CSV table of all heavy atoms in Angstrom, one decimal:
chain,number,residue,atom,x,y,z
A,28,ASN,N,31.5,-4.7,-54.6
A,28,ASN,CA,31.9,-5.3,-53.4
A,28,ASN,C,30.9,-5.0,-52.3
A,28,ASN,O,30.4,-3.9,-52.2
A,28,ASN,CB,33.3,-4.7,-53.0
A,28,ASN,CG,34.3,-4.7,-54.1
A,28,ASN,OD1,34.6,-3.7,-54.7
A,28,ASN,ND2,34.9,-5.9,-54.3
A,29,TYR,N,30.6,-6.1,-51.5
A,29,TYR,CA,29.6,-6.0,-50.5
A,29,TYR,C,30.1,-6.6,-49.2
A,29,TYR,O,30.9,-7.6,-49.2
A,29,TYR,CB,28.4,-6.7,-50.9
A,29,TYR,CG,27.7,-6.2,-52.2
A,29,TYR,CD1,28.0,-6.7,-53.4
A,29,TYR,CD2,26.8,-5.1,-52.1
A,29,TYR,CE1,27.4,-6.2,-54.6
A,29,TYR,CE2,26.2,-4.6,-53.2
A,29,TYR,CZ,26.5,-5.2,-54.5
A,29,TYR,OH,25.9,-4.7,-55.6
A,30,ALA,N,29.7,-6.0,-48.1
A,30,ALA,CA,29.9,-6.7,-46.8
A,30,ALA,C,29.1,-8.0,-46.8
A,30,ALA,O,28.0,-8.1,-47.4
A,30,ALA,CB,29.5,-5.7,-45.7
A,31,ASP,N,29.6,-8.9,-46.0
A,31,ASP,CA,28.9,-10.2,-46.0
A,31,ASP,C,27.5,-10.0,-45.4
A,31,ASP,O,26.6,-10.8,-45.8
A,31,ASP,CB,29.7,-11.2,-45.1
A,31,ASP,CG,31.0,-11.7,-45.8
A,31,ASP,OD1,31.1,-11.6,-47.0
A,31,ASP,OD2,31.9,-12.2,-45.0
A,32,SER,N,27.3,-9.1,-44.5
A,32,SER,CA,26.0,-8.9,-43.9
A,32,SER,C,24.9,-8.4,-44.8
A,32,SER,O,23.7,-8.5,-44.5
A,32,SER,CB,26.2,-7.9,-42.7
A,32,SER,OG,26.6,-6.7,-43.1
A,33,VAL,N,25.3,-7.8,-45.9
A,33,VAL,CA,24.3,-7.3,-46.9
A,33,VAL,C,24.3,-8.0,-48.2
A,33,VAL,O,23.4,-7.7,-49.0
A,33,VAL,CB,24.5,-5.8,-47.1
A,33,VAL,CG1,24.5,-5.1,-45.7
A,33,VAL,CG2,25.8,-5.5,-47.9
A,34,LYS,N,25.2,-8.9,-48.5
A,34,LYS,CA,25.3,-9.6,-49.8
A,34,LYS,C,24.0,-10.3,-50.0
A,34,LYS,O,23.5,-11.0,-49.2
A,34,LYS,CB,26.5,-10.5,-49.8
A,34,LYS,CG,26.8,-11.1,-51.1
A,34,LYS,CD,28.1,-11.8,-51.2
A,34,LYS,CE,29.3,-10.9,-51.0
A,34,LYS,NZ,30.6,-11.6,-51.1
A,35,GLY,N,23.5,-10.1,-51.3
A,35,GLY,CA,22.3,-10.8,-51.7
A,35,GLY,C,21.1,-9.9,-51.4
A,35,GLY,O,20.0,-10.2,-51.9
A,36,ARG,N,21.2,-8.9,-50.6
A,36,ARG,CA,20.1,-8.0,-50.2
A,36,ARG,C,20.3,-6.6,-50.8
A,36,ARG,O,19.3,-6.0,-51.1
A,36,ARG,CB,19.9,-8.0,-48.7
A,36,ARG,CG,19.6,-9.3,-48.1
A,36,ARG,CD,19.3,-9.2,-46.6
A,36,ARG,NE,20.3,-8.6,-45.8
A,36,ARG,CZ,20.3,-7.4,-45.2
A,36,ARG,NH1,19.2,-6.7,-45.2
A,36,ARG,NH2,21.3,-7.0,-44.5
A,37,PHE,N,21.5,-6.1,-50.8
A,37,PHE,CA,21.8,-4.8,-51.3
A,37,PHE,C,22.4,-4.8,-52.6
A,37,PHE,O,23.2,-5.7,-52.9
A,37,PHE,CB,22.7,-4.1,-50.3
A,37,PHE,CG,22.1,-3.7,-49.0
A,37,PHE,CD1,20.9,-4.2,-48.5
A,37,PHE,CD2,22.8,-2.9,-48.1
A,37,PHE,CE1,20.4,-3.9,-47.3
A,37,PHE,CE2,22.3,-2.5,-46.9
A,37,PHE,CZ,21.1,-3.0,-46.5
A,38,THR,N,22.2,-3.8,-53.4
A,38,THR,CA,22.8,-3.7,-54.8
A,38,THR,C,23.3,-2.3,-54.9
A,38,THR,O,22.5,-1.3,-54.8
A,38,THR,CB,21.8,-4.0,-55.9
A,38,THR,OG1,21.3,-5.3,-55.7
A,38,THR,CG2,22.5,-3.9,-57.2
A,39,ILE,N,24.6,-2.1,-55.3
A,39,ILE,CA,25.2,-0.8,-55.6
A,39,ILE,C,25.3,-0.6,-57.1
A,39,ILE,O,25.5,-1.5,-57.8
A,39,ILE,CB,26.5,-0.7,-54.9
A,39,ILE,CG1,27.1,0.8,-55.0
A,39,ILE,CG2,27.6,-1.6,-55.5
A,39,ILE,CD1,28.3,1.0,-54.1
A,40,SER,N,25.0,0.6,-57.5
A,40,SER,CA,25.1,0.9,-58.9
A,40,SER,C,25.5,2.4,-59.1
A,40,SER,O,25.4,3.2,-58.2
A,40,SER,CB,23.8,0.6,-59.6
A,40,SER,OG,22.7,1.4,-59.1
A,41,ILE,N,25.8,2.7,-60.3
A,41,ILE,CA,26.2,4.1,-60.7
A,41,ILE,C,25.6,4.5,-62.0
A,41,ILE,O,25.4,3.7,-62.9
A,41,ILE,CB,27.7,4.3,-60.7
A,41,ILE,CG1,28.1,5.7,-60.8
A,41,ILE,CG2,28.3,3.5,-61.9
A,41,ILE,CD1,29.6,6.0,-60.5
A,42,ASN,N,25.2,5.8,-62.1
A,42,ASN,CA,24.5,6.2,-63.3
A,42,ASN,C,25.6,6.4,-64.4
A,42,ASN,O,26.8,6.4,-64.2
A,42,ASN,CB,23.7,7.5,-63.1
A,42,ASN,CG,24.5,8.7,-62.8
A,42,ASN,OD1,25.7,8.6,-62.5
A,42,ASN,ND2,23.9,9.9,-62.8
A,43,ASN,N,25.1,6.6,-65.7
A,43,ASN,CA,26.0,6.7,-66.8
A,43,ASN,C,26.9,7.9,-66.8
A,43,ASN,O,28.0,7.9,-67.3
A,43,ASN,CB,25.2,6.7,-68.1
A,43,ASN,CG,24.5,5.4,-68.4
A,43,ASN,OD1,24.9,4.3,-68.0
A,43,ASN,ND2,23.4,5.4,-69.2
A,44,ALA,N,26.4,9.0,-66.2
A,44,ALA,CA,27.2,10.2,-66.1
A,44,ALA,C,28.2,10.2,-65.0
A,44,ALA,O,29.0,11.1,-64.9
A,44,ALA,CB,26.3,11.4,-65.9
A,45,LYS,N,28.2,9.2,-64.2
A,45,LYS,CA,29.1,9.0,-63.1
A,45,LYS,C,28.9,10.1,-62.0
A,45,LYS,O,29.9,10.6,-61.5
A,45,LYS,CB,30.5,8.9,-63.5
A,45,LYS,CG,30.7,7.8,-64.6
A,45,LYS,CD,30.5,6.4,-64.0
A,45,LYS,CE,30.9,5.3,-65.0
A,45,LYS,NZ,30.0,5.2,-66.1
A,46,THR,N,27.7,10.6,-61.9
A,46,THR,CA,27.4,11.6,-60.9
A,46,THR,C,26.6,11.1,-59.7
A,46,THR,O,26.5,11.9,-58.7
A,46,THR,CB,26.6,12.8,-61.6
A,46,THR,OG1,25.4,12.3,-62.2
A,46,THR,CG2,27.5,13.4,-62.6
A,47,THR,N,26.0,9.9,-59.8
A,47,THR,CA,25.2,9.5,-58.7
A,47,THR,C,25.5,8.0,-58.5
A,47,THR,O,25.5,7.2,-59.4
A,47,THR,CB,23.7,9.6,-59.0
A,47,THR,OG1,23.5,11.0,-59.3
A,47,THR,CG2,22.9,9.2,-57.8
A,48,VAL,N,25.6,7.6,-57.2
A,48,VAL,CA,25.7,6.2,-56.9
A,48,VAL,C,24.5,5.8,-56.1
A,48,VAL,O,24.1,6.6,-55.2
A,48,VAL,CB,27.0,5.9,-56.1
A,48,VAL,CG1,27.0,4.5,-55.5
A,48,VAL,CG2,28.2,6.1,-57.0
A,49,TYR,N,23.9,4.7,-56.4
A,49,TYR,CA,22.7,4.2,-55.7
A,49,TYR,C,23.0,3.0,-54.8
A,49,TYR,O,23.9,2.2,-55.1
A,49,TYR,CB,21.6,3.9,-56.7
A,49,TYR,CG,21.3,5.0,-57.7
A,49,TYR,CD1,21.9,5.0,-58.9
A,49,TYR,CD2,20.5,6.0,-57.3
A,49,TYR,CE1,21.6,6.0,-59.8
A,49,TYR,CE2,20.2,7.0,-58.2
A,49,TYR,CZ,20.8,7.0,-59.5
A,49,TYR,OH,20.5,8.0,-60.4
A,50,LEU,N,22.2,2.9,-53.8
A,50,LEU,CA,22.3,1.7,-53.0
A,50,LEU,C,20.8,1.2,-52.8
A,50,LEU,O,20.0,1.8,-52.0
A,50,LEU,CB,22.9,1.9,-51.6
A,50,LEU,CG,23.1,0.7,-50.7
A,50,LEU,CD1,24.2,-0.2,-51.3
A,50,LEU,CD2,23.5,1.1,-49.3
A,51,GLN,N,20.5,0.2,-53.5
A,51,GLN,CA,19.2,-0.5,-53.4
A,51,GLN,C,19.2,-1.5,-52.3
A,51,GLN,O,20.0,-2.4,-52.3
A,51,GLN,CB,18.7,-1.2,-54.7
A,51,GLN,CG,17.4,-1.9,-54.6
A,51,GLN,CD,16.3,-0.9,-54.5
A,51,GLN,OE1,16.2,0.1,-55.2
A,51,GLN,NE2,15.4,-1.2,-53.5
A,52,MET,N,18.4,-1.3,-51.3
A,52,MET,CA,18.4,-2.1,-50.1
A,52,MET,C,17.1,-2.8,-50.0
A,52,MET,O,16.0,-2.2,-49.8
A,52,MET,CB,18.6,-1.2,-48.8
A,52,MET,CG,19.9,-0.4,-48.9
A,52,MET,SD,20.2,0.5,-47.3
A,52,MET,CE,18.8,1.6,-47.2
A,53,ASN,N,17.1,-4.1,-50.1
A,53,ASN,CA,15.9,-5.0,-50.0
A,53,ASN,C,16.0,-5.9,-48.8
A,53,ASN,O,17.1,-6.1,-48.2
A,53,ASN,CB,15.8,-5.8,-51.3
A,53,ASN,CG,15.6,-5.0,-52.5
A,53,ASN,OD1,15.0,-3.9,-52.5
A,53,ASN,ND2,16.1,-5.5,-53.6
A,54,SER,N,14.9,-6.4,-48.4
A,54,SER,CA,14.8,-7.4,-47.3
A,54,SER,C,15.5,-6.8,-46.0
A,54,SER,O,16.3,-7.4,-45.4
A,54,SER,CB,15.5,-8.7,-47.6
A,54,SER,OG,14.8,-9.3,-48.8
A,55,LEU,N,15.2,-5.6,-45.7
A,55,LEU,CA,15.9,-4.8,-44.7
A,55,LEU,C,15.6,-5.5,-43.3
A,55,LEU,O,14.5,-6.0,-43.0
A,55,LEU,CB,15.4,-3.4,-44.7
A,55,LEU,CG,16.1,-2.5,-45.7
A,55,LEU,CD1,15.3,-1.2,-46.0
A,55,LEU,CD2,17.5,-2.2,-45.4
A,56,LYS,N,16.6,-5.4,-42.5
A,56,LYS,CA,16.6,-6.0,-41.1
A,56,LYS,C,16.8,-4.9,-40.1
A,56,LYS,O,17.4,-3.8,-40.4
A,56,LYS,CB,17.6,-7.1,-40.9
A,56,LYS,CG,17.6,-8.2,-41.9
A,56,LYS,CD,18.8,-9.1,-41.8
A,56,LYS,CE,18.8,-10.2,-42.8
A,56,LYS,NZ,19.9,-11.1,-42.6
A,57,PRO,N,16.3,-5.1,-38.9
A,57,PRO,CA,16.6,-4.0,-37.8
A,57,PRO,C,18.1,-3.7,-37.7
A,57,PRO,O,18.4,-2.5,-37.4
A,57,PRO,CB,16.0,-4.7,-36.6
A,57,PRO,CG,14.9,-5.5,-37.0
A,57,PRO,CD,15.5,-6.1,-38.4
A,58,GLU,N,18.9,-4.6,-37.9
A,58,GLU,CA,20.4,-4.4,-37.7
A,58,GLU,C,20.9,-3.5,-38.9
A,58,GLU,O,22.1,-3.2,-38.8
A,58,GLU,CB,21.2,-5.7,-37.6
A,58,GLU,CG,20.8,-6.7,-38.6
A,58,GLU,CD,19.8,-7.7,-38.2
A,58,GLU,OE1,18.8,-7.4,-37.6
A,58,GLU,OE2,20.0,-9.0,-38.4
A,59,ASP,N,20.1,-3.3,-39.9
A,59,ASP,CA,20.5,-2.4,-41.0
A,59,ASP,C,20.4,-0.9,-40.6
A,59,ASP,O,20.8,0.0,-41.3
A,59,ASP,CB,19.8,-2.7,-42.3
A,59,ASP,CG,20.1,-4.0,-42.8
A,59,ASP,OD1,21.2,-4.4,-42.9
A,59,ASP,OD2,19.1,-4.7,-43.3
A,60,THR,N,19.7,-0.7,-39.5
A,60,THR,CA,19.5,0.7,-39.0
A,60,THR,C,20.8,1.4,-38.8
A,60,THR,O,21.8,0.9,-38.3
A,60,THR,CB,18.7,0.7,-37.7
A,60,THR,OG1,17.4,0.2,-38.0
A,60,THR,CG2,18.5,2.1,-37.1
């Protein structure tokens, strides 16, 4: 699930052990600060 403001730019994922969640943020904008 993604906010409309980040959809298509951010990707959330989780590792196999379910110990770490990642947020890959691409095409960053100043409003992402």
